[in-house]
Amino acid sequence: MKKGILALGASLALAFTLSGCMLSFNLNNQEPTSKLGHSLAYEYKEGSYEAIKQTMDEVYNLLDEDNKFTEIIDKYRKINKYMEDIATYMNLENLETSISQSRTHDNNYLRLQTHLTNLFNWNNDFLLKASKSAYKASFFPNMTDEEIANSLDKKYDAEFYTLNGEVEKLLVEYRALDDKKMLKEAGNYYSKVVSSYNKMAKLAGYKNYLYYSYDEIYGREYDPSYIKSFNEFVKKYVVPELKESAELFSNIEANISKKYYGRMAHILTTPFISDTTLLDKYSEYVGGSYYLNYEELFDHGYYYFSNEKNALNGAYTTYLYNVDSPAVYFGPDYMDIMTVVHEYGHYFAYKENDGWSGSFDLAETQSQGNELVFLAFLEQETGEASIVTNAIRTYLLNKYLSNILLSTIVNDFELYVYENNIVDPNAYDNIFIDICSRYLPYAELKVLYGFELTDYWKYVALENAGYYISYAVSLIPALELYISASDNLNYGLNQLLDVIVDVRDDDGYIRTLSNAGLFSPFDGRAFKKIPELIEIKN
């Protein structure tokens, strides 16, 4: 099922676990310790790129000659291996930047991206020529001309890649700003990003960049217009339960003893590298390849916990193609057990599917589903006091519901901005407030979330354009997994494994959910189950 280097898609953009949550409590103030599972050292020589370009010319010309297939395929494999190397080096540069925020690594990333873009373009030209050569059957066995045409990547003109390079440079600059300057300058940067992204989308044949990103980057089976019914379900079912869960947790927080509050805080906030007990137990309970890959990752895998002064404050999973392994990064405030469970969901899916995890909606269902089945396990199998697990589930339930709403708002905001090509730097905050108010009065939402909501789009909309709806969409079946696991832990666990292990790339997201006995997130029946979350153990 491995898709190879040409399916990189949005691996060029970092995707972070949502940090916003309206509820908070005093942390343990334990200082995490940086821990790196592997050295990131590698050697990339500029001369190797010039050498591979010569090989590219040679193999391209060999298509015109007879009886050269063995030589052609040997050289072609060498080129593809080089593409995997560059893609890996780019992800290593991202990791280096995350760990230390060194600008040197950002600049290296930009240079490597230019080389990889050139290789992508050459590969498409090569395969197009191969499809019209005497070697057509060897490269495209048993495929019709239509199937061959559909299998080839779209090729855009030079202006598309020039614009993309300009955006990447803007984002590198934006990442380098401190928080105060970033919040002040966000509108100016976003204006330029929106303008360039929309021009790219038009060149690629899409009405705006959000439509382009849904299809070309995130692999979704629907376009942005499909989200309208989802938004109505969020307003009808999520918002009321969000308010109720907030009230429930406030009552718990007011009445829970210091002893149990401390235990809840320990479980939710202690850096994983300081206490692995609960996740060790969970992986042993799941067993099989889940346990084996867990052991492999934390015994000698590619993981990076960094609390360096300038470390990126986020968490993500990427893929190192030339060693066939995922790599996981955890920043200073993202070392807690639920973040580790989330990222391990991505890691495990990558391992089970040879470096492929389907659409981003499916990937987030795998990771957030892992969180929610782990929550059911925590309640049922660890011997924790029920008052502690009830407090944890109420806190997390509120977090998940608030993430659904805020991710939906972000998507609405992005769609409005891109559809109307809004490039006025001073317009964005008012647009965001207006969209928030479609769900609840803005003042009420600010109280619920506990921070200035207009700051939020500045952290997520530039570097992750079109991504955040995946958090909302995927949480609906993930919450359904929790309901299943609360009723029967093993049944819910098997459903989770069905969307991670037993995945066929030709099934698509909705069919994969159906195969696991889960509703589509666009089906009202899925949303109607949300009130059950409040009823469980309350």
Side-chain angles (χ1 to χ4, degrees), residues 13-14 167-168 170-171 174-175 177 182 185-194 197 209 218 410 413-414 418 428 455-466 468:
L14 298 181
V167 170
E168 287 291 333
L170 283 171
L171 296 181
Y174 190 67
R175 282 196 295 268
L177 301 177
M182 182 270 286
E185 296 293 331
N188 293 324
Y189 277 90
Y190 196 41
S191 172
K192 296 173 184 175
V193 167
V194 169
Y197 271 165
Y209 185 78
Y218 303 123
V410 168
F413 167 76
E414 291 182 293
Y418 281 106
Y428 299 126
D455 288 349
Y456 194 73
W457 70 262
K458 299 161 189 173
Y459 286 99
V460 303
L462 280 87
E463 293 199 73
N464 301 283
Y468 269 65

Side-chain angles (χ1 to χ4, degrees), residues 462-479:
L462 280 87
E463 293 199 73
N464 301 283
Y467 186 93
Y468 269 65
I469 194 62
S470 282
Y471 285 118
V473 166
S474 63
L475 265 169
I476 304 305
L479 290 169

Side-chain angles (χ1 to χ4, degrees), residues 392-406:
I392 289 172
R393 69 167 292 280
T394 306
Y395 172 82
L396 290 175
L397 172 60
N398 180 267
K399 171 188 172 183
Y400 297 131
L401 293 174
S402 63
N403 285 353
I404 291 171
L405 177 56
L406 192 50

Side-chain angles (χ1 to χ4, degrees), residues 22-90:
M22 71 183 195
L23 300 177
S24 62
F25 48 84
N26 295 327
L27 306 185
N28 289 348
N29 296 319
Q30 298 187 47
E31 279 296 318
T33 302
S34 293
K35 188 176 182 182
L36 306 183
H38 268 282
S39 166
L40 294 175
Y42 74 93
E43 184 178 9
Y44 178 69
K45 297 179 180 178
E46 289 289 341
S48 62
Y49 178 63
E50 296 304 318
I52 208 72
K53 285 202 297 185
Q54 182 176 339
T55 304
M56 290 155 61
D57 290 340
E58 291 171 0
V59 71
Y60 190 85
N61 292 329
L62 283 171
L63 288 173
D64 296 325
E65 300 182 27
D66 295 331
N67 303 315
K68 295 289 185 179
F69 183 70
T70 299
E71 186 177 354
I72 289 171
I73 205 66
D74 285 346
K75 290 179 182 291
Y76 185 65
R77 284 172 178 159
K78 180 180 179 181
I79 295 165
N80 270 265
K81 174 62 170 60
Y82 186 79
M83 292 172 74
E84 289 191 350
D85 288 345
I86 288 188
T88 300
Y89 296 158
M90 289 173 65

Side-chain angles (χ1 to χ4, degrees), residues 447-494:
V447 172
L448 275 174
Y449 282 91
F451 60 86
E452 178 54 67
L453 291 172
T454 55
D455 288 349
Y456 194 73
W457 70 262
K458 299 161 189 173
Y459 286 99
V460 303
L462 280 87
E463 293 199 73
N464 301 283
Y467 186 93
Y468 269 65
I469 194 62
S470 282
Y471 285 118
V473 166
S474 63
L475 265 169
I476 304 305
L479 290 169
E480 191 180 350
L481 282 170
Y482 173 73
I483 294 170
S484 294
S486 293
D487 183 54
N488 184 319
L489 180 57
N490 287 330
Y491 180 74
L493 178 57
N494 286 331

Side-chain angles (χ1 to χ4, degrees), residues 5 22 34-35 74 102 186 238 293 376 412 497 503 512 525-526:
I5 195 63
M22 71 183 195
S34 293
K35 188 176 182 182
D74 285 346
S102 166
V238 172
N293 282 301
D412 288 356
L497 294 176
V503 177
T512 296
R525 290 175 295 177

